[in-house]
Amino acid sequence: MSILAALAHAYDRLPDAPPFGFSSEKIGFLISLNEDGTVAHVIDLRDGEGKKKVARQMFVPAPTKRTADIAPNFLWDKSSYVLGVTAGEGKRHAKFVERHIDAIGASTDTGLTALKAFLKSWHPERFAELGWSEDMKDQNIVFGLESERRDNIRIHDRPSARALWSQMNAAGDTGQAICLVSGERAPVARLHQAIKGVWGAQSSGASIVSFNIDAFTSYGHEQGDNAPVSEAATFAYTTALNRFLEKDSGHRLQIGDASTVFWADGEHAEKVSLAETMFSVFFNDEDAEADLASVDEKSEAKKVGVRLKQIREGMAVADLDPGLASGVRFYVLALAPNAARLSVRFWLEDDFGTIARNYQRFISDMRVEPPPRDGYPALWKYLAETAVLKKRENVPPNLAGDWMRAILTGQSYPLTLLATVLMRLRADKDVNALRVGILKSLLIRNARREVPVALDPENTDKGYLLGQLFATYEHVQTAALGSKVNATIKDKFYGSASAQPRKVFALLDKGSANHLSKVGKQSPGRRVNLEKQIGAIMDRMQPDADPFPASLSAEEQALFGLGYYHQRNEFFKSKKDDTAAIEETDK
C-alpha cells in the first residue's frame, strides 16, 4: 500500500477525526457576540497559567494554504486577520472582512449575520480602546454567539455555517479525474494541506505533494493535476498525518532529524492498540514504560509491561499472541525537512510480528556486559553518541533514518555508523556501553563476526587483544599513580593506539615497566598479578604475527573498543577478588 493510501485508510479509524473540510487547530481566544454584532465577552480558551498557557485544539474549517499571498481562513484566523492587530506588522484584516462579507452575503443565519455586523463595524483602533489583552495578539481567534456560549457552540459549528463552507469548497472544484489514492473519479485537489509538526521544517507547515514551479510540471498540467488526488483523499491523508505528528499523539518518535510516525491496522481494535503501545515503548526511554500513556487502566499497563518484557527476553510474538503477530499490519513513516517540502527518510509496511522480531535482534546485537545504566535506552540516546558534544542537532544527516530503517527491516546498518562512532571515540575517548554496543552490533550484522557479550579470555582477534592490553596498561598506571591523574594513557593515546598501534604500544610498554616497579614497592603481589595479566594477553597473540601492526582496519578498531571496554570493566568487577589474591601473595 502506498504512503498516501495507508494514511487515508488510517483516517477512517481515528477516534475523533474532524469531518471533511475541517482541521484541528490551536485556538487561543473566542469573541462572544450578541445577535446585533456587538461584543459580549472575550474568552481566553488557553489552558494553564501565566506564560505557560497553551492554546486549545479545536475543529475549525480547514486553513487556507498560504505562500506569500494574503489568504484569510474561514470563520477563524490569527488576530492580524480577524482584528487587524498583531505584535508585528501586517495588513490582512481587510481581506478577512472582504471574504466573509462576500461569503455570508444574504444569509439569514443568526450567527453568520452577527459576525457580518461585527466585521462591518470593527476598526483595529478599538482593540486598544476596549483594553483587550495583549495576549490576544497573534493568537488564533474564533467567534460564538453569547446565547449559545453555555452550550459551547461556535459560529463555525452551526449547521448553516457548515453548509456554507461545503458550498465554498464545492465551488472551487476545477475538474474531476481518477484519484491515484482511491481509484475513484472525483474532484481533484489543486493544493494539498500543509503537514505540520515535522522537526526542523517550517512552522507554517510543509508539503509531501507539491508542484509549485514549472520544472515540476508535466504536459502543461498545473499544481495537483500533475498527480491527481481527490479532495477527500487529500483531506484524509493530511488529517491523519497531522494528527500522528502532534506532540502527545502516541504515534510519534523523534529519531535524530527524522520525525517518525507509526500506526497499526487490523480487525481487532484491542490488538491494534496494543501493537502501537508496545512499538512506542520499544524505542523510548524505560521511564516511558511506567507511563504507557496510551493505556488508561493500571491493569492493562501491567499486561503490556509483562508482554514487553517477554519480547525483550526473546519470546516470539507468535507464541505470545498469534493474532498480534500476523493479524496486525504495521506502518512506519519517517519524515525530515527539505526546504518547503518534506523528505521521506523511509517508509515501512509489515506484520507487527516481523517488526517485533527485528527489534529483538536489535536488542540482542546491542547487548554488552556491563549493560548501560538505562537498561534499554531510547534510540535517540544511541544516536547522541554519534554527535559532537552529544547534541541531537549534531547527529549526522540521514544517519537516524537509515539506522532506524535497518533496525526495523533487519538489514545491514549504514556504513557511516561505524566510521562515525570510531571518529567520536578517537575525538573524546569516551568508551561507554552505548558506543560499545553499537560497535558490537555492527560487527555482528555487517561483518558477520561472532562477538562476545562479556570478557572473552580465549579471544584471539588482534584488535580485541590490543584493546585488552591497552586497558591493562591503563590499570597499571592507576595502580601506580592513583586515580587522580591529570591525563591517563586513555586520554593521551586511545585514538592513536586503536588506529596505529605500532606508534604507541612500545611507548606504553616502557611506561608500564616504570609503573610496575612503583607498584612492586607498595605491593609485590599486585605487581605479580598485573604482570601475569599482561603476559596472558601477549601469549594469545599469534606467534607469527606482528603484535603491534602499523594500522588496524575499521573492524579491528571496533574490536579494540570492545576489548578495552570488557577488560576495563572486568578490573572494576573483580576488585574484591584481586585484593584477596594480592593479600595471599604478599604473605
Side-chain angles (χ1 to χ4, degrees), residues 105-128:
S107 173
T108 58
D109 179 79
T110 305
L112 293 175
T113 55
L115 174 59
K116 183 177 179 179
F118 168 80
L119 293 176
K120 283 185 174 182
S121 63
W122 175 260
H123 298 285
E125 295 77 14
R126 295 196 61 200
F127 185 88

Side-chain angles (χ1 to χ4, degrees), residues 214-259:
D214 292 342
F216 301 151
T217 62
S218 176
Y219 293 99
H221 293 305
E222 293 184 0
Q223 298 289 356
D225 288 337
N226 287 276
V229 180
S230 68
E231 291 277 4
T234 299
F235 174 79
Y237 93 76
T238 54
T239 299
L241 185 52
N242 279 319
R243 179 63 59 83
F244 292 154
L245 283 167
E246 290 175 5
K247 184 177 180 181
D248 299 319
S249 68
H251 293 265
R252 177 198 175 119
L253 296 170
Q254 189 63 45
I255 309 296
D257 68 340
S259 298

Side-chain angles (χ1 to χ4, degrees), residues 179-339:
C179 174
L180 296 178
V181 173
S182 66
E184 299 175 354
R185 178 170 289 277
V188 174
R190 181 175 177 272
L191 297 175
H192 294 208
Q193 283 181 278
I195 305 302
K196 299 179 180 180
V198 175
W199 182 79
Q202 296 178 358
S203 59
S204 58
S207 299
I208 291 181
V209 180
S210 175
F211 303 86
N212 61 344
I213 59 177
D214 292 342
F216 301 151
T217 62
S218 176
Y219 293 99
H221 293 305
E222 293 184 0
Q223 298 289 356
D225 288 337
N226 287 276
V229 180
S230 68
E231 291 277 4
T234 299
F235 174 79
Y237 93 76
T238 54
T239 299
L241 185 52
N242 279 319
R243 179 63 59 83
F244 292 154
L245 283 167
E246 290 175 5
K247 184 177 180 181
D248 299 319
S249 68
H251 293 265
R252 177 198 175 119
L253 296 170
Q254 189 63 45
I255 309 296
D257 68 340
S259 298
T260 306
V261 296
F262 58 89
W263 67 97
D265 191 22
E267 294 183 3
H268 303 287
E270 180 183 353
K271 296 188 186 300
V272 167
S273 178
L274 177 61
E276 292 172 343
T277 302
M278 294 181 71
F279 183 88
S280 176
V281 183
F282 280 173
F283 298 101
N284 261 337
D285 293 305
E286 210 170 29
D287 293 341
E289 295 178 30
D291 233 10
L292 292 173
S294 58
V295 181
D296 296 329
E297 299 182 8
K298 290 183 178 180
S299 59
E300 287 298 315
K302 184 176 180 180
K303 187 187 300 183
V304 172
V306 169
R307 293 184 177 182
L308 180 65
K309 182 179 179 182
Q310 291 171 328
I311 287 177
R312 283 176 169 167
E313 290 176 349
M315 180 179 288
V317 178
D319 297 333
L320 184 67
D321 188 335
L324 192 62
S326 58
V328 175
R329 199 68 175 165
F330 211 84
Y331 306 88
V332 186
L333 173 63
L335 300 171
N338 181 20

Side-chain angles (χ1 to χ4, degrees), residues 131-175:
W132 286 1
S133 172
E134 291 291 314
D135 290 348
M136 289 182 69
K137 290 184 177 180
D138 298 323
Q139 290 283 334
N140 286 328
I141 299 172
V142 294
F143 295 90
L145 281 179
E146 179 66 14
S147 59
E148 297 175 337
R149 184 158 64 93
R150 292 184 179 180
D151 298 325
N152 287 325
I153 297 176
R154 283 81 183 187
I155 289 179
H156 63 261
D157 294 324
R158 297 174 64 84
S160 296
R162 292 198 172 203
L164 179 58
W165 177 234
S166 297
Q167 292 173 12
M168 292 169 64
N169 285 335
D173 294 342
T174 57

